[in-house]
Amino acid sequence: GNMIANYLKILVIISASSLAISACSSTPSPYTPTAIMKPGNGKLFVYWPGQRWGEKSGRSPEIQLDGVPLGLLKYKRYLEIEMAAGTYELKMTGESNASNWNGPERSFPAKVEAGENLYVRLMVKYDQESNRLLEGRMQYAVTFLPRAEKDALLEMDGLKPVLE
């Protein structure tokens, strides 16, 4: 009866590991934010996830916080900043020479809470109808979209930091 005992053992191992896998798949955490270093601080993540037509833009807005440039947010990149709790004006603009952004300027009141992460997605909605009508000049709507952590972490999967 040794064969059967071994077979059962293998079965148990297999079913245990598949359980672990299914438990993970219900709560995937592709991106794990780094810890907030200083008590009283919070973190702001601004990201532009992969989306249809996104790569077509080839344009990167400069991201500013209370008028201070944080860098260009390229497609499939994210910015991460730790700062004191408070409400800041988050802005996308084409003001800087480095930026080739010809999209609209947008502002968003980023409310950063102590010990919390705030996720703001750069949302670009392309209008395929206008793409056809205007010989390939696509109209698009751009906005800052605050996201719940669980959604943001999924959308940030595979994104690179702006500095990389």
Side-chain angles (χ1 to χ4, degrees):
N2 230 1
M3 278 289 290
I4 292 170
N6 281 344
Y7 180 67
L8 283 174
K9 244 183 233 156
I10 290 166
L11 263 184
V12 167
I13 291 165
I14 290 169
S15 62
S17 62
S18 64
L19 261 180
I21 291 163
S22 64
C24 287
S25 68
S26 62
T27 55
S29 55
Y31 177 78
T32 307
T34 51
I36 293 165
M37 303 310 279
K38 203 175 151 206
N41 279 3
K43 262 197 182 165
L44 169 67
F45 292 84
V46 186
Y47 65 101
W48 188 357
Q51 58 176 116
R52 227 169 139 210
W53 309 108
E55 64 283 349
K56 282 200 174 177
S57 78
R59 299 190 177 273
S60 316
E62 180 176 88
I63 303 296
Q64 295 179 355
L65 204 59
D66 281 356
V68 179
L70 301 180
L72 300 183
L73 184 60
K74 293 192 167 80
Y75 178 62
K76 286 194 172 172
R77 298 285 167 117
Y78 70 90
L79 275 163
E80 173 184 353
I81 295 158
E82 177 172 326
M83 57 228 212
T87 301
Y88 300 81
E89 187 199 24
L90 181 65
K91 191 172 167 195
M92 68 175 94
T93 173
E95 274 171 15
S96 79
N97 295 333
S99 171
N100 59 2
W101 186 248
N102 60 356
E105 281 205 348
R106 290 279 182 266
S107 287
F108 176 80
K111 191 169 191 287
V112 176
E113 309 266 2
E116 300 280 320
N117 293 326
L118 173 66
Y119 298 89
V120 182
R121 174 181 173 166
L122 179 69
M123 186 83 177
V124 182
K125 286 203 181 111
Y126 293 96
D127 175 13
Q128 295 164 39
E129 290 305 309
S130 71
N131 190 21
R132 282 198 286 277
L133 297 171
L134 299 168
E135 298 95 54
R137 279 202 314 247
M138 230 183 301
Q139 296 286 0
Y140 54 94
V142 183
T143 182
F144 278 128
L145 189 69
R147 300 292 278 155
E149 183 163 64
K150 63 178 187 354
D151 300 325
L153 295 182
L154 286 177
E155 292 172 345
M156 286 177 73
D157 182 23
L159 302 192
K160 290 193 168 81
V162 160
L163 298 172
E164 253 179 45

